[in-house]
Amino acid sequence: MAVLAESGSNPDVDLLYDINGLAKDAPHWFDRVMEFVGEYGLLLAMVLLVLWCWWSVRRRGAEDAASSVAALVWAPLAAGIAVLVNVPIRGFVERPRPFVQHQGLDVLVSGKTDFSFVSDHATITMALGVGLFVANRRFGIAGIGLALLEGFCRVYMGVHYPTDVVGGFALGTAVALLLSPLAMALLTPLMRAVERSPRVGWIVRRRSVGGAREGAFPSARKPVESEERDLAA
């Protein structure tokens, strides 16, 4: 179980060399950009996307705001659980990094001494992307797109095989979707309780200037208007 691809005749290794070969032909500054993007940038972008989605849901203040915020809370939780699930998987497969067994790779990040299968970065970003999709399809599609780009970067950087990335996508998706019903059943009532709180209700739905929840009293002006009409009569 130690190695999933050992020879250059393997399509997994061929694709590794094809994608990583782009780094050899690229300018040095572009490789540095890809190094930052693949190691930190896309993870930061995913966090900002989750926060943007939360701000949009909170500002809109729809009736399903509590369930949407619950799904957003589930997204990072799913990513964390997926990484924990990956710990025994890595220990069982024990697949070395591609640059350990294959010569001629342009490795953009040094110091990677742990096992390769599956990719934590691919797992985290896809779990976040799928979790976002549960909360909001528009933001979820953007998140899944960022996750796919993360997977490409990991192979481009020479630190993962393509199958490491695919395995990470599968693991992140499985955790985010399979555990989603249970997570939503637990988190949605919690977010509804938070929504009713006068102190922390702003986390779920934006408050109006007077402190009341927006949309909570849609007919509040009707008695005043009818009273004015009576006085006029």
Side-chain angles (χ1 to χ4, degrees):
M1 300 294 296
V3 180
L4 299 182
E6 296 183 350
S7 68
S9 61
N10 190 299
D12 192 25
V13 179
D14 290 341
L15 188 57
L16 165 68
Y17 275 105
D18 288 341
I19 296 177
N20 180 255
L22 299 174
K24 294 182 178 181
D25 300 329
H28 178 75
W29 65 264
F30 185 80
D31 284 348
R32 298 288 72 81
V33 170
M34 291 293 286
E35 175 187 347
F36 174 80
V37 169
E39 194 74 6
Y40 307 107
L42 287 172
L43 291 177
L44 177 60
M46 290 296 300
V47 172
L48 294 177
L49 190 64
V50 171
L51 292 175
W52 184 10
C53 185
W54 165 75
W55 183 262
S56 176
V57 168
R58 172 184 171 273
R59 185 177 182 182
R60 188 173 68 249
E63 292 299 324
D64 62 344
S67 60
S68 296
V69 173
L72 290 173
V73 173
W74 167 237
L77 290 177
I81 293 173
V83 170
L84 291 177
V85 172
N86 189 29
V87 172
I89 294 177
R90 281 193 169 195
F92 177 72
V93 177
E94 294 184 344
R95 186 186 201 184
R97 294 279 181 171
F99 53 80
V100 174
Q101 294 188 321
H102 301 285
Q103 303 296 322
L105 293 175
D106 190 4
V107 183
L108 303 185
V109 180
S110 60
K112 299 290 184 181
T113 58
D114 55 344
F115 294 122
S116 184
F117 186 88
V118 296
S119 167
D120 277 340
H121 282 72
T123 300
I124 292 171
T125 52
M126 186 56 74
L128 287 171
V130 173
L132 267 174
F133 189 82
V134 173
N136 184 288
R137 290 189 176 183
R138 180 166 58 91
F139 282 94
I141 291 174
I144 292 173
L146 290 178
L148 295 175
L149 180 57
E150 178 68 75
F152 175 83
C153 288
R154 302 308 288 177
V155 181
Y156 181 95
M157 294 159 61
V159 295
H160 280 293
Y161 294 95
T163 47
D164 297 338
V165 170
V166 173
F169 289 162
L171 177 59
T173 300
V175 171
L177 289 184
L178 294 180
L179 298 182
S180 177
L182 175 61
M184 293 299 293
L186 296 174
L187 292 173
T188 300
L190 177 61
M191 290 301 105
R192 285 174 180 162
V194 170
E195 183 182 13
R196 293 191 295 268
S197 172
R199 291 189 176 183
V200 296
W202 59 269
I203 295 176
V204 176
R205 191 182 294 210
R206 185 177 62 174
R207 302 287 180 173
S208 64
V209 177
R213 189 180 64 196
E214 285 192 349
F217 307 104
S219 60
R221 294 185 178 180
K222 290 183 179 179
V224 177
E225 294 174 354
S226 61
E227 184 178 350
E228 290 178 351
R229 285 196 299 268
D230 292 339
L231 292 174

